[in-house]
Amino acid sequence: MTYTKRLPKPVVEQWDWQLHGACRGQESAVFFHPDNERGPARRSRQARAKAVCQACPVIAQCRQHALSAREPFGVWGGLDEDERRAIFAKRSRQEHRRAA
């Protein structure tokens, strides 16, 4: 489940970027995997979602939201779940090294 305390406060200006997303009106199934999707089917679906993201005028805002909110599922800002987890892990290792 998404940790909502990290989410920005509900101010229209902070969420207005979503109105301009290339994904608006697209089937959510392109961005979120169905149960038990694996292998080539998953990679193909993710590639379709990422292609939409690459043409999106608000890709940076979407990616920032996904990383700030630690979105656990789907393609957000051109990053899939595994790519976001790798970013979180890298940040954690860097923070651990700084603290040591």
Side-chain angles (χ1 to χ4, degrees), residues 40-93:
R42 186 172 193 147
R43 287 189 295 276
S44 176
R45 181 196 46 78
Q46 287 176 332
R48 288 192 312 274
K50 290 177 181 185
V52 172
C53 294
Q54 293 310 308
C56 186
V58 294
I59 189 172
Q61 293 94 324
C62 183
R63 182 175 290 183
Q64 181 58 44
H65 160 77
L67 294 172
S68 295
R70 297 184 71 92
E71 288 289 350
F73 303 109
V75 173
W76 291 80
L79 299 174
D80 63 42
E81 298 137 349
D82 293 335
E83 291 166 326
R84 288 193 306 278
R85 274 194 292 274
I87 290 170
F88 300 144
K90 181 178 178 181
R91 286 180 180 175
S92 180
R93 286 191 303 272

Side-chain angles (χ1 to χ4, degrees), residues 2-21:
T2 302
Y3 184 65
T4 59
K5 291 187 182 211
R6 291 190 194 114
L7 293 174
K9 296 192 182 350
V11 177
V12 172
E13 294 81 21
Q14 292 181 344
W15 294 97
D16 197 38
W17 61 267
Q18 292 181 1
L19 298 173
H20 307 289

